[in-house]
Amino acid sequence: MANLLIRKAKFVITMDENRRIIKDGAVFIGNDKIVAIGKNEALEKEYASADLVIDASNMIVSPGLINCHCHTTQQLARGLADNVFLPTWIHDRLYPFESNMKPEDAYISALACFVEAIKNGTTCIADPGGYHMEWVVKAAEKIGIRAVLARSLVDLSSRARPIPEAMKETTDEAIKSGEDFVKKYNGIANGRIRAWFSLRTERMVSNNLCSAVKKLADKYGVGIESHVSSNLDSVNRHKEVFMGKTPIKRYEQTGVLGPNLLIVHANWLTKEEIALVRKHDVKVCHCPTAGTAGGYGTFKVGKFVEMMEKGITVALGHDSAAESNFMDMLRVAQMATAHRDFRLDATLFPPETLLELLTINGAKALLSEEKVGALAVGKQADVVLFDIKRPEMVPLNNPVSNLVHSASGDCANTVIIDGRIIMQNRKLKTVNESEVLKKAQKTAEEIIERSGLKVYSTSTWRYY
């Protein structure tokens, strides 16, 4: 891998321990790691013989953005589940779509998802799992993104809300599927791809599955992802199935709570549950755009301000193209500013905090803070160059505010992952973007036809 010098950056936002912002900065990358970072004059002189040089004179250089909740196999379901409540969304729209996907469909869906992620400045995603996940691994290998991937594990269904036969497994089958996936894929691609376990949804996983997954995750030194308390229906359904227990309370009793558990959404946690999350150092992924789309009560009920005040690690995720509708993580962060309005407090979630959620907090949530999340010597070289010549970035009086409040993912000009240039001047270098998107459109239409779903609207508008 060639050495690379990023020179003459207008600003380098390091997100290091001292939160340095370096004017007229430079970054030198050796193979897959950051070797040096500092003032441009010094680094240009010391690393004049760099194999590759990128002029960043019109750029903000930052760590790559981290998306801690991303359903890659739902990318092709965009627009199929708007304006419906969660039970309808899952059981009447998503499951029919997902259960009709072929392995090659999962590959195309993941590639299209990764294209959108990288084009918007995201260098790392965490997928809580679907099926045919070995094909998602192939897609991640192909495009060069950093990823935490899991195989969906579910062992409970109900007559009222059944899951498709193709997705049903016994407890033993689910345990084996999860362990096989972790054993085969964790740490591949020079460690760029890691495999975790997934307790897909709190109300669809048994006590036995929870306990077994926790033991295996600890054994292999990996994490667990789980949707928890997304909305009121989720909590009520869980209490019906598990004798009145709330999700986090039951998870504590099964031994699942711990530093390697990442809970997603977590909008309806009680004070008691928040105390348990803090006690066990559980990580939380806040999905403001998905919560808004689904009417989850994210801002009205969610206690993310309190969680952060208590020192709980909170990161951000977009969820899926079928829920959030977009995966621009800067726009996701901007949506989180709605907490200011709901709390009548303009001081909440300043841009510096939002950028922390997108970088170092994301790294902590994915147990990767030693490797990514900041631009510092020895870290893996996941770097994004944002174009400051765009109208929304002018004037540039506060680079952090512009980046988080004003910019969108379209400002991402160049993306480097593991020291490798994946996108430069908005052009992807590892895949043919137009071919991927063309294939994605065709594949989505084929899945819709097989599943019997129709593109619909709750309005009176009609296509002719």
Side-chain angles (χ1 to χ4, degrees):
M1 210 176 270
N3 294 330
L4 169 63
L5 176 64
I6 302 171
R7 67 176 184 178
K8 297 182 178 179
K10 186 73 172 180
F11 294 98
V12 177
I13 303 176
T14 66
M15 302 307 297
D16 64 10
E17 291 182 356
N18 297 315
R19 302 295 190 270
R20 291 182 302 155
I21 299 176
I22 304 172
K23 297 180 180 179
D24 190 25
V27 180
F28 181 70
I29 298 168
N31 295 320
D32 59 347
K33 290 184 174 61
I34 295 174
V35 174
I37 183 168
K39 286 290 189 178
N40 181 74
E41 183 179 2
L43 265 67
E44 270 203 308
K45 182 182 297 184
E46 185 171 358
Y47 300 104
S49 62
D51 299 322
L52 298 172
V53 176
I54 294 178
D55 188 331
S57 55
N58 291 302
M59 305 287 173
I60 290 174
V61 178
S62 86
L65 307 182
I66 298 174
N67 183 346
C68 284
H69 188 58
C70 170
H71 287 275
T72 62
T73 56
Q74 294 177 20
Q75 183 75 7
L76 304 186
R78 175 179 273 138
L80 291 181
D82 295 337
N83 299 107
V84 294
F85 292 110
L86 187 61
T88 302
W89 188 86
I90 292 176
H91 294 278
D92 297 341
R93 312 303 295 179
L94 175 61
Y95 284 170
F97 186 90
E98 192 171 351
S99 63
N100 276 279
M101 293 185 78
K102 299 176 182 178
E104 56 270 27
D105 299 337
Y107 177 76
I108 292 299
S109 182
L111 266 187
C113 180
F114 296 149
V115 165
E116 184 178 356
I118 292 167
K119 294 279 285 190
N120 284 287
T122 295
T123 57
C124 177
I125 66 97
D127 185 344
Y131 301 88
H132 311 305
M133 289 302 293
E134 66 277 9
W135 289 80
V136 177
V137 172
K138 291 180 181 180
E141 285 186 289
K142 170 69 175 176
I143 203 167
I145 198 167
R146 189 177 303 280
V148 172
L149 305 175
R151 202 276 197 179
S152 180
L153 304 183
V154 169
D155 67 340
L156 296 180
S157 184
S158 70
R159 292 180 182 178
R161 296 178 183 175
I163 61 176
E165 287 297 325
M167 298 168 63
K168 289 182 178 179
E169 289 182 315
T170 66
T171 303
D172 288 342
E173 289 170 340
I175 293 169
K176 185 177 187 306
S177 296
E179 184 175 17
D180 287 348
F181 186 80
V182 168
K183 287 169 65 176
K184 186 171 183 179
Y185 296 113
N186 188 42
I188 68 170
N190 191 37
R192 182 168 48 81
I193 297 172
R194 290 180 297 143
W196 280 21
F197 288 91
S198 170
L199 296 170
R200 179 159 178 162
T201 303
E202 79 279 73
R203 61 199 177 277
M204 299 174 69
V205 289
S206 69
N207 291 341
N208 288 339
L209 180 58
C210 290
S211 298
V213 161
K214 172 61 174 174
K215 290 176 182 177
L216 288 170
D218 290 347
K219 173 183 175 180
Y220 292 108
V222 301
I224 306 166
E225 301 172 74
S226 183
H227 298 85
V228 171
S229 301
S230 303
N231 66 1
L232 182 58
D233 180 80
S234 299
V235 176
N236 287 340
R237 177 62 182 151
H238 183 277
K239 291 167 75 173
E240 286 178 357
V241 175
F242 295 101
M243 305 295 290
K245 294 185 178 70
T246 56
I248 293 297
K249 187 64 177 177
R250 179 174 74 97
Y251 271 12
E252 182 193 34
Q253 292 171 353
T254 61
V256 173
L257 300 188
N260 62 343
L261 174 63
L262 173 62
I263 58 172
V264 179
H265 296 302
N267 297 310
W268 286 76
L269 299 188
T270 66
K271 289 183 179 179
E272 180 187 14
E273 288 180 304
I274 291 173
L276 290 173
V277 166
R278 180 188 182 188
K279 175 182 176 182
H280 294 279
D281 192 22
V282 174
K283 313 306 190 294
V284 176
C285 181
H286 180 21
C287 301
T289 53
T292 302
Y296 290 174
T298 300
F299 298 105
K300 184 176 182 179
V301 180
K303 299 295 189 296
F304 300 98
V305 174
E306 289 79 3
M307 288 188 228
M308 293 173 65
E309 288 175 347
K310 293 179 183 298
I312 294 170
T313 298
V314 176
L316 292 173
H318 94 293
D319 200 339
S320 78
E323 184 77 300
S324 176
N325 297 98
F326 61 84
M327 61 183 309
D328 178 346
M329 291 305 294
L330 290 177
R331 290 170 66 190
V332 170
Q334 289 158 12
M335 179 63 78
T337 63
H339 286 289
R340 301 174 189 167
D341 183 59
F342 275 79
R343 300 297 184 96
L344 303 179
D345 186 348
T347 68
L348 296 175
F349 287 92
E352 294 82 4
T353 295
L354 291 171
L355 193 55
E356 288 176 343
L357 267 60
L358 287 168
T359 55
I360 57 174
N361 280 26
K364 290 177 182 177
L366 300 183
L367 310 180
S368 301
E369 63 267 36
E370 297 302 319
K371 292 187 174 182
V372 297
L375 302 182
V377 174
K379 300 261 190 190
Q380 298 299 122
D382 289 5
V383 187
V384 181
L385 282 63
F386 291 97
D387 188 351
I388 62 174
K389 300 191 307 300
R390 295 174 59 92
E392 62 268 39
M393 295 290 269
V394 177
L396 187 63
N397 298 318
N398 181 337
V400 181
S401 178
N402 274 35
L403 183 59
V404 177
H405 284 152
S406 307
S408 70
D410 285 341
C411 294
N413 175 275
T414 297
V415 172
I416 298 164
I417 303 174
D418 235 19
R420 180 185 181 192
I421 300 174
I422 305 298
M423 180 178 79
Q424 189 168 20
N425 298 323
R426 298 289 299 163
K427 183 176 177 59
L428 290 168
K429 301 171 76 70
T430 52
V431 297
N432 185 315
E433 180 183 347
S434 62
E435 287 185 5
V436 170
L437 299 183
K438 182 179 179 180
K439 180 65 174 175
Q441 179 65 41
K442 182 175 184 294
T443 302
E445 293 170 0
E446 291 172 350
I447 299 170
I448 291 170
E449 181 68 24
R450 285 199 302 271
S451 63
L453 293 171
K454 294 181 179 179
V455 178
Y456 75 104
S457 171
T458 55
S459 76
T460 58
W461 295 13
R462 296 292 178 267
Y463 292 92
Y464 295 95

